[in-house]
Amino acid sequence: MSSVMLNYADANRFYHNYRHIGSMISTFHGLFAGELDVFEIELLTIAIQYHDAIYIPGSKNNEADSALAMAEELSESILARDLMEIGRLILLTKYHVTSPADKLGSIMIDLDLHELGTSMYAANSEAVKKEFLEGPYPNVRPEQFFQGRINFLQGFLARPTIFYTEIGKSLWEEEARSNMQHELDSLTG
């Protein structure tokens, strides 16, 4: 296992940890891998594994730093064009926006967001809050966290759809919207 991958075991990672990566990998193989060729499966698997490798709550550079760490670790074993594609997939998880025609990007985004539309939503929201407010990163004050969370929720709820793939829309869209609206109401009510 690479040294950067060990970051997922950090005791202050309550959400951005191995459980999150495992959930994405499991969901990927259970729902999406059958639609892809072996090469696409490998690209997405690596992107999933590295997409939160570098994570500091409140940092604007987590995705770029994760993509860079991936490229540095894998540059001798993966072609440059493939490193660029994996890096692109990682970078998509910053804003969770792509073209609906971007098959791999759409899957990557939907996998990163899928638990918004599951029974894990409340526990994950608490874990994210704990990373920001109880971790060793004093760069985020509680009022900043809560305003950021409100902005995050409002931004996603304003989108026509949260998910890009038909699988994502059919399995998670409705529950994700309900979960997010409930949290938003609790934060603003």
Side-chain angles (χ1 to χ4, degrees), residues 20-69:
H20 171 57
I21 300 306
S23 176
M24 288 178 69
I25 294 282
S26 175
T27 302
F28 172 51
H29 286 284
L31 296 176
F32 295 101
E35 303 175 9
L36 306 174
D37 64 37
V38 173
F39 177 70
E40 292 169 322
I41 292 170
E42 182 176 355
L43 292 176
L44 269 166
T45 299
I46 295 168
I48 291 166
Q49 291 171 332
Y50 278 90
H51 85 282
D52 285 329
I54 307 298
Y55 182 78
I56 298 172
S59 172
K60 305 271 189 242
N61 301 316
N62 289 324
E63 294 78 9
D65 290 344
S66 293
L68 181 60

Side-chain angles (χ1 to χ4, degrees), residues 88-162:
R88 183 188 75 82
L89 293 169
I90 292 169
L91 292 173
L92 288 175
T93 65
K94 181 171 186 168
Y95 298 110
H96 299 97
V97 174
T98 194
S99 161
D102 178 5
K103 179 173 71 170
L104 297 184
S106 294
I107 293 170
M108 182 71 181
I109 289 169
D110 282 11
L111 288 168
D112 196 31
L113 298 176
H114 83 277
E115 286 188 332
L116 295 173
T118 71
S119 61
M120 290 298 298
Y121 182 88
N124 289 342
S125 293
E126 283 301 310
V128 168
K129 182 170 86 172
K130 195 171 180 180
E131 282 181 342
F132 274 86
L133 301 181
E134 296 179 26
Y137 307 104
N139 57 334
V140 179
R141 295 187 313 275
E143 60 273 13
Q144 290 174 304
F145 170 77
F146 289 112
Q147 187 58 57
R149 190 68 182 175
I150 289 167
N151 293 345
F152 169 82
L153 295 167
Q154 288 174 332
F156 272 96
L157 288 169
R159 293 180 178 191
T161 61
I162 294 168

Side-chain angles (χ1 to χ4, degrees), residues 9-24:
D10 184 308
N12 295 299
R13 285 188 177 221
F14 303 104
Y15 174 74
H16 295 92
N17 55 28
Y18 285 123
R19 195 214 59 78
H20 171 57
I21 300 306
S23 176
M24 288 178 69

